[in-house]
Amino acid sequence: MNEIIAYSIVVVFLGIYMLLSSIEFGSTIFLLNPKNDQKIIPYIGPIWETVNVFLVFVFVSLVSFFPGATIVFSDHLLVLIFTGLAGMVVRMMAMLFFYYSAHKGKLVRWVLFITSYAVPVALSQIVVFAYLGKVVFGPISLGLGLFSLLVTYALAYTFFGMMEKKSSSIIKKSGLFVGAIVLVAAAISLFAYLQFPYIIFPYPTVYQAFTDPVVATILFGVFILGMILVIPSFILLFTLFVFSPQK
Amino acid sequence: MPNTLIYGRVLMADSLGFHIIFALLGVGLPLIVSLAELIGWQWKDKDFTFFAKRWSYAMSVLFVTGAISGTIVAFELALLWPPFMTLVGQVVSLPIYLEVFAFFLEAIFLGIYLFTWDRFSPMVHWLTSLPIVLGSFASAYLITTVNAFMNSPAGFALSDGKPININPFVAMFNQAVPTETSHSIVSYYLTSALIVAALYAFTFLRRKNKNDAQSKKALVFCLSFAFVFSLLVGLTGDQSGQYIAHNEPIKLAAAEGLQHSQAYAPLVIFGLKMPGMLSVLAYHDPSAKVEGFDNIDPRLRPPSFVHTMFDSMAVAGIIVVLVPLVFLLLYWRKRSWAFSKPMFWSIIVSALCALFAVEAGWMVTEVGRQPYIIAGVMLTERAFTTSTGVVEFAVIFPVLYLLLAIVTVWILVRHYKTTV
């Protein structure tokens, strides 16, 4: 039972991270055109660091609740994850330039865009590994990569479309396209959830990799207390900047 | 994999050495900024409000760099040292998990703080700085308890290599915690204040005698803050030394370079020998016996450069206490000398010493624990990954860090040069 709760926490927050980061990462394609700056910067500016924390949260949750899985991640996914991380570092440098300095030149915008779309492609290969037990580059992995690109683009498009009042017609036109992609994204999340009880097939099950039950109970307590603090703060942040953005 | 282990060590050391610079500023700057804003609000001093606004830009840029490097460190801990993380995850995951929440609060309120100067009243805006101060303090404290656990493991027993009878609270509040957390955190406050002071000192040197009352105010504020914390650093340093003498004797022997166990043990700093002083410092008793390397298995002996690092830290520690003290005395008694060129240079030197001391201190405690990754429980070489690719990333990440450092400094310099 504990394992199911912990697994759910990891998957749910992974889903939230995918949603938020897709919007953030996806927005970079629109930022290639400086005319879009004022539509995007007020939303992304205050929140992108918080989005990064979600990623750390997912990983720390995974390692805290399923310490036994660490060895598998290390043995098989070190190169993939480090590659993604290296991409993230380069991306963060571009984010620093774009959001913290007056330098919003073409180079910065392109680096931002390329890293923002390349990193999800690289990291989506983890799904291949999760299903096949090894990293294989082929039609499936290419498809997954392309899919992650689409999801990223679609969610960003949807979000910023919603924020812009006069684009309702565009939304209607591409509604089917966007809707379909979001549905498939949800399906993938469900698929991830249904992989239970395997974290990485066919390596340790969540039962084998799970931590001590006493420790798990304490961690759940921390999670609840933490959420009591973080969720209202998060709502405050989004109310201040997403639903009534600064110019 | 003995031949790639060294690359894993180098990668980890480089990542930690890089991260600590930005993490310490992430702890120190929020308190300095919050205090400045409080003074500006309560004493209606526009200069201090100006300082808070001006420094909060650096605070947020440096937070980002700290967050990137911290994310990498977190992943590296798990991916480079999986057996270590498996044990740590099982026994002392509590503070790690708590830390992520502290990090969340920090990130959220940093976003709010930066973008609501004009939206919120002075009081409410200042209040939003508090979660940043508390969050960064909590993060530092919690992560350091995990490191303390590595130096002084507690709260579990080993059965067939697996931990049993786990008590996360005992593990988290192990006996190394009080000295490790207090000494490191006060040094972060001190170092941050000295760095800000040094930047102002640098602008004075560049401006060539321009009389800027506002910048002088900033200097006095930072150095007063630094002075208070320099005393705390000295005090907690002494307590740490005593703790290590009683509980981690091998580390003390390494730090002091003590070959032979002896009473009336001498303190040797860069060849300068002070008879009996080590026994006095470690046990407050000159006749106390201090353990040397003679009773220790040579395979468990840490590298000898730990001694050099410790001596360097101690010398730097003397400088960082003296400089704020001298400045404040001059400011009180002979103000023109407080704003003289030699004083400005001394301030810059003291900031560099403080930064160096933080790195040296961490080297002493981490390298001084080798060959163990968890003292007495797990050897570093047994904790290493079997994955390939470590060598390549041991080159890639340091290069990225160098780029990131250049980008960070460049952005900060550009901003402060082009804005008032």
Side-chain angles (χ1 to χ4, degrees):
Chain A
M1 184 57 208
N2 277 345
E3 290 84 350
I4 298 176
I5 300 174
Y7 193 80
S8 309
I9 291 176
V10 174
V11 172
V12 165
F13 275 83
L14 182 61
I16 297 175
Y17 173 71
M18 280 177 59
L19 195 71
L20 293 173
S21 64
S22 293
I23 296 172
E24 186 204 323
F25 284 46
S27 69
T28 58
I29 194 174
F30 303 115
L31 289 172
L32 285 175
N33 182 351
K35 292 210 186 106
N36 290 325
D37 283 5
Q38 285 319 305
K39 293 178 203 163
I40 293 175
I41 294 176
Y43 295 102
I44 303 290
I47 65 158
W48 67 271
E49 291 166 48
T50 305
V51 173
N52 182 59
V53 182
F54 271 95
L55 177 64
V56 182
F57 181 83
V58 168
F59 188 69
V60 171
S61 293
L62 195 64
V63 171
S64 298
F65 283 114
F66 304 102
T70 321
I71 295 187
V72 174
F73 273 98
S74 168
D75 285 348
H76 299 269
L77 290 173
L78 180 139
V79 176
L80 199 56
I81 296 179
F82 274 178
T83 307
L85 275 180
M88 290 283 261
V89 174
V90 178
R91 179 178 185 269
M92 291 284 218
M93 286 193 251
M95 288 292 275
L96 267 177
F97 266 115
F98 192 80
Y99 282 98
Y100 281 97
S101 79
H103 280 262
K104 296 180 178 17
K106 271 291 171 194
L107 178 66
V108 174
R109 292 173 191 269
W110 274 97
V111 171
L112 194 57
F113 164 64
I114 292 172
T115 51
S116 297
Y117 278 77
V119 168
V121 172
L123 291 178
S124 65
Q125 305 308 307
I126 295 179
V127 178
V128 177
F129 177 82
Y131 196 64
L132 293 177
K134 50 187 171 168
V135 183
V136 173
F137 297 113
I140 297 177
S141 60
L142 191 65
L144 262 172
L146 281 171
F147 180 77
S148 67
L149 286 176
L150 284 175
V151 172
T152 313
Y153 175 77
L155 286 169
Y157 188 83
T158 315
F159 177 77
F160 289 106
M162 278 162 56
M163 292 297 123
E164 236 190 302
K165 286 155 225 167
K166 52 187 170 169
S167 62
S168 49
S169 57
I170 308 173
I171 292 294
K172 278 177 203 152
K173 278 184 219 167
S174 50
L176 276 172
F177 170 67
V178 171
I181 294 193
V182 176
L183 265 177
V184 182
I188 289 214
S189 305
L190 196 64
F191 169 77
Y193 199 75
L194 291 172
Q195 286 310 293
F196 185 94
Y198 297 107
I199 300 180
I200 306 263
F201 180 89
Y203 296 104
T205 65
V206 297
Y207 296 104
Q208 292 167 331
F210 200 60
T211 188
D212 181 279
V214 173
V215 175
T217 315
I218 295 174
L219 290 180
F220 287 140
V222 170
F223 176 77
I224 293 169
L225 278 171
M227 285 293 122
I228 291 174
L229 273 177
V230 170
I231 290 180
S233 310
F234 204 61
I235 293 173
L236 175 66
L237 181 73
F238 270 71
T239 316
L240 280 173
F241 300 110
V242 176
F243 301 119
S244 49
Q246 283 296 86
K247 289 293 166 218
Chain B
M1 313 249 131
N3 21 341
T4 56
L5 173 61
I6 184 68
Y7 293 100
R9 288 182 188 267
V10 165
L11 176 54
M12 197 75 227
D14 190 58
S15 304
L16 288 167
F18 181 81
H19 175 61
I20 192 65
I21 299 173
F22 299 93
L24 77 87
L25 286 163
V27 173
L29 284 178
L31 182 61
I32 293 170
V33 168
S34 179
L35 207 54
E37 189 180 10
L38 180 66
I39 294 173
W41 165 47
Q42 284 291 323
W43 274 265
K44 305 227 178 335
D45 188 331
K46 292 211 181 81
D47 287 335
F48 278 97
T49 313
F50 173 78
F51 294 149
K53 263 194 193 173
R54 187 153 168 79
W55 298 341
S56 51
Y57 174 84
M59 181 172 77
S60 54
V61 169
L62 294 164
F63 175 84
V64 171
T65 310
I68 306 173
S69 50
T71 306
I72 298 178
V73 166
F75 277 89
E76 279 178 358
L77 280 173
L79 295 176
L80 288 175
W81 317 100
F84 160 77
M85 197 40 123
T86 306
L87 183 74
V88 164
Q90 285 167 301
V91 179
V92 70
S93 51
L94 174 61
I96 299 176
Y97 209 48
L98 282 166
E99 196 269 339
V100 186
F101 290 97
F103 188 35
F104 249 131
L105 283 175
E106 249 192 284
I108 290 172
F109 279 92
L110 195 57
I112 295 175
Y113 185 80
L114 289 171
F115 289 90
T116 55
W117 277 101
D118 302 318
R119 255 169 108 165
F120 287 165
S121 70
M123 180 181 84
V124 173
H125 188 264
W126 175 73
L127 285 174
T128 64
S129 73
L130 296 182
I132 309 175
V133 175
L134 292 167
S136 58
F137 175 86
S139 283
Y141 180 86
L142 292 163
I143 283 298
T144 310
T145 63
V146 179
N147 183 269
F149 172 85
M150 290 163 68
N151 290 313
S152 173
F156 70 107
L158 275 180
S159 162
D160 203 24
K162 305 231 181 296
I164 55 166
N165 302 336
I166 300 175
N167 186 328
F169 293 100
V170 172
M172 179 177 161
F173 294 109
N174 59 76
Q175 50 176 4
V177 165
T179 50
E180 257 207 57
T181 52
S182 58
H183 186 55
S184 59
I185 292 176
V186 295
S187 76
Y188 303 155
Y189 290 127
L190 170 66
T191 308
S192 302
L194 284 176
I195 289 177
V196 178
L199 289 168
Y200 276 97
F202 186 71
T203 61
F204 273 113
L205 286 169
R206 291 283 294 259
R207 254 182 253 158
K208 296 170 191 159
N209 302 325
K210 197 170 167 198
N211 224 342
D212 189 329
Q214 193 187 57
S215 297
K216 284 182 179 175
K217 218 184 227 180
L219 213 52
V220 175
F221 171 66
C222 292
L223 288 167
S224 308
F225 185 96
F227 174 67
V228 171
F229 280 97
S230 71
L231 297 176
L232 290 173
V233 167
L235 185 67
T236 53
D238 175 57
Q239 290 171 332
S240 301
Q242 285 183 64
Y243 164 80
I244 292 184
H246 285 90
N247 300 287
E248 297 179 50
I250 303 180
K251 189 175 281 181
L252 182 72
E256 301 292 353
L258 194 69
Q259 278 298 120
H260 306 289
S261 310
Q262 55 191 287
Y264 299 97
L267 188 66
V268 184
I269 297 187
F270 289 126
L272 191 73
K273 197 164 172 172
M274 286 161 268
M277 280 310 290
L278 180 55
S279 296
V280 168
L281 279 177
Y283 295 100
H284 290 186
D285 173 9
S287 62
K289 185 174 177 200
V290 181
E291 289 297 317
F293 284 130
D294 42 10
N295 292 330
I296 294 162
D297 182 346
R299 288 172 305 173
L300 297 180
R301 189 179 158 161
S304 53
F305 87 89
V306 172
H307 178 52
T308 314
M309 284 295 115
F310 181 77
D311 282 357
S312 309
M313 182 194 74
V315 169
I318 295 170
I319 294 174
V320 300
V321 172
L322 282 179
V323 170
L325 176 65
V326 166
F327 175 85
L328 288 174
L329 283 172
L330 288 176
Y331 185 75
W332 181 38
R333 281 293 178 191
K334 201 171 171 69
R335 203 156 283 197
S336 57
W337 285 13
F339 297 106
S340 63
K341 270 199 183 173
M343 193 68 234
F344 292 141
W345 279 111
S346 306
I347 293 168
I348 294 173
V349 167
S350 74
L352 292 169
C353 283
L355 208 53
F356 177 80
V358 170
E359 298 276 4
W362 273 108
M363 270 191 248
V364 169
T365 196
E366 292 301 275
V367 182
R369 185 191 57 240
Q370 302 300 322
Y372 285 110
I373 188 170
I374 301 179
V377 170
M378 189 185 287
L379 289 169
T380 310
E381 65 195 30
R382 300 267 165 80
F384 195 51
T385 182
T386 56
S387 170
T388 55
V390 177
V391 180
E392 287 82 354
F393 286 105
V395 174
I396 293 173
F397 277 122
V399 169
L400 286 177
Y401 292 144
L402 185 61
L403 276 172
L404 182 57
I406 293 172
V407 166
T408 306
V409 170
W410 197 86
I411 287 181
L412 286 170
V413 170
R414 286 294 299 187
H415 174 88
Y416 285 109
K417 262 195 179 163
T418 56
T419 60
V420 181

